[in-house]
Amino acid sequence: QGFKDNLHAVFCLAENAVGPRATRPDDIHVLYSGKTVEINNTDAEGRLILADGVAYACQDLGADIILDMATLTGAQGIATGKYHAAVLTNNEEWEKACVKAGRNCGDLVHPLVYCPELHFSEFTSAVADMKNSVADRDNTPSSCAGLFIASHIGFDWPGVWVHIDIAAPVHAGERATGYGVALLLSLFGGASEDPLLNLVSPLGCNGDCPPEEMERDSKRRRLV
């Protein structure tokens, strides 16, 4: 789509197959960030590789905007429903932008509570930096799952971090919906040379920006 900025796509993929090296309860892993994780739920495996992915984007790619998107929690469908994905971010402007981008393109998004000072304690471990699953599943588990990922770049990281949980809207019955493609194009459309994407993007200059403002808005961001 003719992106003018430095855009990377990191695919956090793993085969969830049982074998002699499979993760077991009470294992302790050292993740890419260097933090240790006590396994108290072997079904919460996706967040482990997502945590490695965002740490890689931060440390190796030097990104200043990191967006992770995954079918992470069944609780997302309870929190925001079948049609709205859930967004969790450390930046209020980007939270609003995700909601607006979703309305512009049809991939709807609704915010989750972002409050690490109250919720990250759900992962407290006596033997590691954190556990991989919450102690209380009644305490906003979708928000907590996102916080687990964010903790591997650090809650004091100065960049923009956005987490989008798409567990429910990616399927309708037995069929995939393709959710997420339009959302990403709309959200980052301001960094594209495509006039239509510029128009629907809620960030940066849209098609009605004066040329002199476009000249001033020349900062290049590295996007993930």
Side-chain angles (χ1 to χ4, degrees), residues 18-148:
V18 176
R21 298 182 65 190
T23 295
R24 296 173 173 83
D26 300 329
D27 281 353
I28 296 177
H29 294 310
V30 180
L31 269 62
Y32 193 78
S33 64
K35 297 180 185 292
T36 54
V37 177
E38 176 190 356
I39 303 301
N40 65 327
N41 182 353
T42 55
D43 193 39
E45 83 288 350
R47 64 193 64 182
L48 300 176
I49 53 173
L50 285 166
D52 279 357
V54 298
Y56 174 79
C58 179
Q59 297 174 22
D60 294 64
L61 299 178
D64 51 24
I65 301 171
I66 298 176
L67 183 147
D68 71 81
M69 178 181 286
T71 56
L72 193 63
T73 65
Q76 175 272 306
I78 298 171
T80 61
K82 294 181 179 179
Y83 307 109
H84 291 73
V87 60
L88 186 73
T89 175
N90 64 355
N91 186 289
E92 186 176 3
E93 178 189 358
W94 277 74
E95 179 182 281
K96 293 176 180 176
C98 287
V99 172
K100 187 173 181 180
R103 290 173 180 168
N104 288 347
C105 71
D107 282 353
L108 300 173
V109 176
H110 192 78
L112 291 172
V113 175
Y114 178 81
C115 193
E117 62 270 30
L118 294 181
H119 293 148
F120 191 66
S121 58
E122 289 290 342
F123 297 105
T124 299
S125 168
V127 293
D129 291 321
M130 68 196 77
K131 294 182 179 179
N132 76 318
S133 190
V134 293
D136 184 358
R137 292 191 177 188
D138 292 330
N139 190 17
T140 188
S142 292
S143 290
C144 291
L147 293 177
F148 176 91

Side-chain angles (χ1 to χ4, degrees), residues 151-168:
S151 70
H152 291 271
I153 54 176
F155 297 121
D156 58 349
W157 184 61
V160 175
W161 168 76
V162 181
H163 164 71
I164 301 181
D165 192 334
I166 60 174

Side-chain angles (χ1 to χ4, degrees), residues 171-194:
H171 61 85
E174 297 181 353
R175 297 288 181 264
T177 62
Y179 183 98
V181 177
L183 179 63
L184 291 175
L185 287 171
S186 176
L187 186 60
F188 293 119
S192 168
E193 295 175 352
D194 187 299

